């Protein structure tokens, strides 16, 4: 009897955890780092046409597309299975790629055709997903298809406590190349920049008003800028380096 009770309790806990992951999936905008096909990694392009690929969910649809140029897109109907952190994708509608750069057209094949579309037409596909917390600033989403291929995403996470009372903060230009500036109505004490793995790659301490911050040592990609105020508040902003 105790064994049966323990199993039931474990199933209830697992169900709650799965439902929480589903809510996290819906609450965040996800940024693709890479897609892994047949154990080969293909990183998200970083060029004038595409410097990020965005993934959005709502309760009925999945939508993924690149930016700043939406030269391809994928939209599909989904149903969530909260018992095992998975969703089924049907009635998928990939757009024909209209990318000007060959690198981006090739990436479309790996990401859309081979990972999401699976050359299956309108057959329903099952995808498993898992969300882990990489740091206070980042969450990682891993989606696995029926071929055991994976797409890996990261999300900027902002708690209500971090945002409330911080004030207005604007990073510009965004995307940036070698430097960026901050427009804010609060005093900034410290700046930390994280890469998509949650690692600190640049840090500015004892901040004094200055026109710009040099990021020329960083590679192209998506970064998360954590700003700390003299009052102890924190906020995280996404910055793209071209």
């Amino acid at each position: 009897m105790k064994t049966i009770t323990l199993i039931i309790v474990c199933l209830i806990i697992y169900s709650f955890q799965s439902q929480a992951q589903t809510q996290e999936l819906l609450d965040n905008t996800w940024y693709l780092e890479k897609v892994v096909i047949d154990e080969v990694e293909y990183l998200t392009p970083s060029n004038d046409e595409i410097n990020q690929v965005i993934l959005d969910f709502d309760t009925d649809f999945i939508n993924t597309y690149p930016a700043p140029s939406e030269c391809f897109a994928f939209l599909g109907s989904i149903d969530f299975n909260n018992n095992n952190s998975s969703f089924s994708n049907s009635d998928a509608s990939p757009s024909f790629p209209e990318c000007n750069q060959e690198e981006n057209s090739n990436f479309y094949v790996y990401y859309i055709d081979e990972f999401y579309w699976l050359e299956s037409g309108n057959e329903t596909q099952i995808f498993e997903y898992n969300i882990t917390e990489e740091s206070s600033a980042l969450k990682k989403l891993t989606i696995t298809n029926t071929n055991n291929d994976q797409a890996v995403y990261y999300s900027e996470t902002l708690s209500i406590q971090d945002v409330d009372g911080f004030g207005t903060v604007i990073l510009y230009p965004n995307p940036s190349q070698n430097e960026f500036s901050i427009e804010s109505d609060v005093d900034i004490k410290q700046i930390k920049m994280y890469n998509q793995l949650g690692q600190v790659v640049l840090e500015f301490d004892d901040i004094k008003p200055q026109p710009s911050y040099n990021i020329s040592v960083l590679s192209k990609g998506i970064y998360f800028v954590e700003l700390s105020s003299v009052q102890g508040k924190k906020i995280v902003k996404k910055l793209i380096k071209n």
Side-chain angles (χ1 to χ4, degrees):
M1 184 67 180
K2 289 183 179 179
T3 301
I4 295 175
T5 302
L6 180 60
I7 292 173
I8 293 173
V9 170
C10 290
L11 289 173
I12 292 173
I13 292 173
Y14 184 76
S15 177
F16 279 129
Q17 290 175 336
S18 297
Q19 291 179 31
Q21 290 237 325
T22 299
Q23 193 59 50
E24 284 187 293
L25 202 68
L26 297 171
D27 288 345
N28 288 282
T29 295
W30 301 97
Y31 301 92
L32 180 68
E33 181 206 15
K34 62 185 176 182
V35 60
V36 183
I37 306 294
D38 294 331
E39 299 184 351
V40 179
E41 294 186 355
Y42 301 95
L43 297 177
T44 301
S46 181
N47 50 58
D48 293 339
E49 190 173 39
I50 295 178
N51 55 40
Q52 61 181 328
V53 175
I54 298 167
L55 175 67
D56 287 319
F57 288 90
D58 67 19
T59 54
D60 298 312
F61 292 97
I62 179 175
N63 185 24
T64 185
Y65 54 92
S69 170
E70 295 185 21
C71 60
F72 64 78
F74 179 86
L75 179 67
S77 301
I78 57 173
D79 290 307
F80 287 103
N81 184 343
N82 290 327
N83 293 326
N84 61 1
S85 294
S86 68
F87 62 86
S88 58
N89 177 29
S90 60
D91 298 325
S93 177
S95 67
F96 187 80
E98 298 179 349
C99 303
N100 295 321
Q101 298 191 32
E102 183 178 2
E103 174 190 14
N104 300 334
S105 297
N106 291 339
F107 188 77
Y108 168 91
V109 174
Y110 303 128
Y111 181 53
I112 301 300
D113 283 352
E114 297 192 24
F115 183 75
Y116 278 114
W117 187 236
L118 295 172
E119 299 180 354
S120 62
N122 287 324
E123 294 180 11
T124 299
Q125 298 293 333
I126 305 297
F127 296 85
E128 296 180 353
Y129 62 90
N130 183 51
I131 299 172
T132 56
E133 188 169 302
E134 299 295 291
S135 72
S136 60
L138 291 176
K139 290 184 180 180
K140 178 181 178 181
L141 166 65
T142 303
I143 299 178
T144 306
N145 67 13
T146 53
N147 292 337
N148 286 322
D149 298 324
Q150 292 186 328
V152 179
Y153 304 82
Y154 287 88
S155 175
E156 169 183 11
T157 57
L158 299 176
S159 70
I160 295 175
Q161 181 179 2
D162 289 339
V163 176
D164 284 352
F166 194 94
T168 301
V169 176
I170 300 174
L171 307 185
Y172 67 94
N174 194 0
S176 302
Q177 289 187 332
N178 294 321
E179 58 185 30
F180 72 94
S181 299
I182 299 175
E183 180 179 324
S184 175
D185 56 5
V186 298
D187 294 326
I188 306 297
K189 180 181 180 181
Q190 184 186 60
I191 299 172
K192 288 184 179 181
M193 293 189 66
Y194 296 83
N195 61 17
Q196 290 180 300
L197 299 179
Q199 301 165 329
V200 177
V201 292
L202 271 182
E203 188 169 348
F204 303 93
D205 294 310
D206 298 323
I207 301 299
K208 295 179 175 60
Q210 52 184 295
S212 62
Y213 299 90
N214 193 310
I215 56 172
S216 59
V217 297
L218 299 180
S219 303
K220 293 180 179 180
I222 298 172
Y223 295 90
F224 298 90
V225 183
E226 181 186 75
L227 302 105
S228 301
S229 72
V230 295
Q231 291 81 19
K233 298 283 186 178
K234 291 184 179 181
I235 193 170
V236 177
K237 294 287 187 178
K238 180 170 68 73
L239 181 72
I240 299 169
K241 184 179 186 297
N242 284 339

